[in-house]
Amino acid sequence: VVDESELLTVPDGWKEPAFTREDNPKGLLEESSFATLFPKYREAYLKECWPLVQKALGEHCVNAALDLIEGSMTVTTTKKTFDPYAIIRARDLIKLLARSVPFEQAVRILQDDVACDIIKIGSLVRKKETFIKRRERLLGPKGSTLKALELLTNCYIMVQGNTVSALGPFSGLKEVRKVVLDTMKNIHPIYNIKTLMIKRELAKDPELRTQSWERFLPKFKRKNLKKRKEPKKKNTKKEYTPFPPPQPESQIDKELASGEYFLKERQKKRKRMEEIKAKQADAIKRRQEERNKAFIPPKEKPVVKTKKASAEKKIDIEAIKEKVKNAKKKKLGALPEEEVKLKMAADEKKKKKK
C-alpha cells in the first residue's frame, strides 16, 4: 500500500521532460503573431541586440521583425514551429524587452521552468508624490530591498516607470506580486521579506511539510491609523429656546444710556480728545517703566564668611618631618646607611690583604 503523503509530494530534482518535434511532428495548423510597441529610448538598444533576439527565437522556429518607423516588435510562427507554446514565450520576450529588461535576462523566458509577470502599479496610488515614495521604498537604499527580494524569490526584478517586471519560477513570481502590491498599499516590504526568510528556513525541515506554518510566521499589526485629534475649541450646542435672542443695542441706544447723545458736537469732540490723550499718557508711562528696568541693579548675593580652621585640624609639622627623614634613610633599591658603612670597611680590608 502506497502512503498518500508520498503521492502528493514531487520528488526533489524532478523536471518535466522537454517538448520535442517527436511530440508534434506535423506542426501547427494556423499562423499566430503578436506585436508590441516600445518607447523611443529603447530603439538604440533593440537595434543593437536584435540579431541575438532573432537567433534565440530561430532555435524555436519563430520569426521576429523590428519596425523602427512604427516603433513595434512582431513575432510570428512558421511552418516549422512544432511547440505551440513557443509563440507565447516569444510574446513575453518582446514585452520584457520593451519594459527595459536587458536581453541577457529576457532570453531566459524561452526556458521551460522560467515564467514572467509584468505588474502594473501606476493606477494603485492617486498622488504622484506618494507613488514615487512607495516605488523608491520597493527599491530600498542603494537597491538593497530589491536585491534581498531577488535572492529570496530567485527572480529577476526590474522596476521601470509604472510597471514592475519579474522573471523567474512560478512560486517566486507569486511572492513578488504580493510584495509589490502590498508596498503600493503602504505595507513596508521589510515585513514580507522577514516572512519569506522564515519560510525559507522552514522549507528545509522535511517534518514540517505536512504541518501548518502559521505559528512560526510573524503577525504585524498596522499602526498607521492614528486617533483623531480633538479640536481646541469645542462647539457646544446651546439649549433650545423658542424665544429669539434679545436685539443688540444700537450706537444711539448706547449714547442715550450714557447721556452723550444730548451733548453738543464741540463737547463730544473734546471728550474724545481727552480719552485719546489719557490712552497716550498711559502708553508713555508703560514704555518708560520698561526702559527703566535696564537701570535697576540686580540683587547682590550675601558674602559667605570662610570659617577658621579648627584647632583639631591643625597640621602636625613635626610628624611630617620625621616621616621624610625615615623615607630618605630607606630609599627604594638602595641599602641603609649602616650596611653601606660595613660594606666599605670590608672592601678596604680586602685591599690591604692584597
Side-chain angles (χ1 to χ4, degrees):
V1 181
V2 181
D3 188 19
E4 283 184 16
S5 61
E6 286 181 21
L7 293 170
L8 294 169
T9 55
V10 178
D12 292 326
W14 181 85
K15 272 190 175 183
E16 200 177 330
F19 193 88
T20 56
R21 190 173 284 280
E22 284 74 39
D23 295 315
N24 186 17
K26 291 182 180 180
L28 305 175
L29 188 68
E30 285 290 329
E31 187 186 273
S32 302
S33 68
F34 288 102
T36 186
L37 298 169
F38 61 86
K40 186 76 177 169
Y41 60 84
R42 289 292 286 165
E43 192 178 302
Y45 180 78
L46 290 170
K47 205 192 268 185
E48 193 181 317
C49 74
W50 199 250
L52 297 167
V53 175
Q54 285 179 319
K55 189 186 174 185
L57 291 172
E59 289 172 12
H60 296 267
C61 305
V62 176
N63 281 341
L66 178 70
D67 191 348
L68 295 171
I69 297 160
E70 196 183 320
S72 68
M73 292 179 278
T74 314
V75 285
T76 49
T77 56
T78 60
K79 287 178 182 178
K80 290 180 182 178
T81 309
F82 60 89
D83 185 359
Y85 201 69
I87 189 67
I88 304 295
R89 289 213 174 94
R91 176 202 68 184
D92 289 342
L93 173 66
I94 58 171
K95 264 189 186 181
L96 291 167
L97 289 168
R99 293 307 317 147
S100 295
V101 176
F103 171 75
E104 293 78 23
Q105 290 290 342
V107 78
R108 283 171 55 215
I109 195 70
L110 299 174
Q111 296 170 18
D112 282 343
D113 56 344
V114 178
C116 79
D117 190 7
I118 294 166
I119 307 152
K120 291 176 181 178
I121 56 171
S123 60
L124 297 174
V125 184
R126 283 184 183 180
K127 285 185 182 178
K128 195 180 179 182
E129 293 83 10
T130 314
F131 169 72
I132 291 162
K133 273 184 187 176
R134 288 182 190 173
R135 190 176 62 183
E136 281 176 4
R137 193 182 289 167
L138 186 64
L139 293 166
K142 295 179 183 177
S144 58
T145 308
L146 197 70
K147 190 72 189 168
L149 199 58
E150 283 182 347
L151 291 166
L152 289 165
T153 56
N154 295 321
C155 293
Y156 171 80
I157 306 162
M158 179 80 183
V159 181
Q160 175 75 16
N162 292 336
T163 58
V164 176
S165 308
L167 189 79
F170 287 102
S171 57
L173 293 175
K174 191 181 173 184
E175 296 291 351
V176 170
R177 178 169 273 274
K178 184 183 178 295
V179 173
V180 170
L181 295 176
D182 279 357
T183 306
M184 299 318 283
K185 287 176 189 170
N186 202 22
I187 298 165
H188 204 283
I190 197 71
Y191 299 132
N192 284 311
I193 285 169
K194 276 185 181 178
T195 309
L196 285 171
M197 284 169 81
I198 294 161
K199 280 182 180 177
R200 194 184 192 183
E201 291 301 313
L202 292 169
K204 291 174 185 176
D205 193 350
E207 289 178 13
L208 295 167
R209 264 186 180 174
T210 54
Q211 294 177 24
S212 175
W213 292 354
E214 281 296 313
R215 64 180 191 271
F216 301 110
L217 300 176
K219 288 170 185 175
F220 301 106
K221 289 179 182 178
R222 292 187 73 176
K223 293 179 183 178
N224 61 346
L225 295 168
K226 291 178 182 176
K227 286 182 180 177
R228 186 176 168 272
K229 287 181 181 177
E230 291 184 358
K232 283 182 181 179
K233 290 180 182 177
K234 287 184 180 179
N235 296 329
T236 52
K237 280 190 175 182
K238 292 174 184 177
E239 287 182 20
Y240 174 74
T241 51
F243 308 105
Q247 195 77 14
E249 283 189 338
S250 66
Q251 192 67 29
I252 296 164
D253 290 339
K254 286 174 184 176
E255 284 179 2
L256 283 165
S258 62
E260 200 180 325
Y261 183 79
F262 304 104
L263 294 173
K264 289 178 181 177
E265 194 62 41
R266 201 186 301 159
Q267 287 171 321
K268 282 181 186 178
K269 205 173 184 182
R270 193 188 300 149
K271 195 180 179 184
R272 262 187 252 120
M273 288 300 290
E274 280 172 5
E275 282 174 5
I276 290 163
K277 279 178 183 178
K279 276 184 183 178
Q280 283 175 348
D282 192 38
I284 290 162
K285 193 181 178 183
R286 267 189 277 114
R287 216 175 296 135
Q288 198 64 41
E289 280 173 5
E290 284 291 320
R291 284 176 186 170
N292 291 341
K293 275 181 186 177
F295 300 105
I296 297 164
K299 287 181 179 180
E300 291 181 7
K301 290 177 183 178
V303 180
V304 181
K305 290 179 181 179
T306 52
K307 291 177 181 178
K308 288 180 181 179
S310 61
E312 292 173 10
K313 291 183 181 179
K314 279 184 180 179
I315 300 158
D316 193 357
I317 296 159
E318 292 300 321
I320 291 164
K321 279 182 181 179
E322 195 65 37
K323 275 185 184 178
V324 172
K325 267 185 187 179
N326 292 338
K328 278 182 179 177
K329 281 177 185 176
K330 289 181 182 180
K331 283 185 181 176
L332 258 174
L335 295 165
E337 279 181 24
E338 290 169 8
E339 282 184 34
V340 171
K341 282 175 184 178
L342 289 166
K343 210 174 184 184
M344 283 171 75
D347 289 340
E348 279 175 13
K349 278 179 184 177
K350 280 179 185 178
K351 281 178 185 179
K352 281 175 185 178
K353 281 179 184 177
K354 285 176 182 179

